[in-house]
Structures are given as C-alpha cells and as structure tokens.
Amino acid sequence: MTNEPEKWSSLEEIAEHLGVSKDTIRNWIKKGVIPYRRIGRQYKFKISEVDAWVDSGKSADIE
C-alpha cells in the first residue's frame, strides 16, 4: 500500500458523495459548517474530513 496523499474533491463530487444538491453544499459553506478549503475561486474538500464531520453528528445540527 502506498502513502499517497488524499486527492481533493470538487463541490460537485462531494455533493454526489453525500447525495445532496450542490446548492445544499454551498449553503453549508456559507454557514461555515462543512469542512472545506478555498483554492482560488474553487471550493475543495477531502472526503475523509467530510465523512468524519458526518460521523461526528455535526451535520445533523444544521438549521
């Protein structure tokens, strides 16, 4: 097994991974609740960080 760094995922990829719309992801970004990085004008995500956020239960606290 190699120790390659995890690839960054796009907004579209993370929306598909979570089964929600891109608008939902954008709303979560505006609220500052989902873990993301801004690279230039794009939002990037690590699936492991987003999965940990979901597993922590914090995603259920969004109003």
Side-chain angles (χ1 to χ4, degrees), residues 11 14 22-38 42-45 53 62:
L11 189 141
I14 213 68
K22 292 184 285 186
D23 287 338
T24 297
I25 300 294
R26 287 186 192 101
N27 286 333
W28 290 346
I29 289 169
K30 285 180 190 172
K31 292 178 179 181
V33 295
I34 191 168
Y36 72 94
R37 307 293 191 298
R38 186 137 186 209
Q42 298 181 344
Y43 296 106
K44 295 293 182 177
F45 307 83
W53 171 72
I62 301 170

Side-chain angles (χ1 to χ4, degrees), residues 6-57:
E6 180 179 359
K7 98 174 184 68
W8 290 96
S9 297
S10 68
L11 189 141
E12 291 81 9
E13 291 169 326
I14 213 68
E16 184 176 331
H17 177 72
L18 293 176
V20 298
S21 71
K22 292 184 285 186
D23 287 338
T24 297
I25 300 294
R26 287 186 192 101
N27 286 333
W28 290 346
I29 289 169
K30 285 180 190 172
K31 292 178 179 181
V33 295
I34 191 168
Y36 72 94
R37 307 293 191 298
R38 186 137 186 209
I39 302 172
R41 295 179 59 179
Q42 298 181 344
Y43 296 106
K44 295 293 182 177
F45 307 83
K46 292 222 174 184
I47 289 179
S48 63
E49 291 178 0
V50 173
D51 285 346
W53 171 72
V54 171
D55 290 342
S56 75

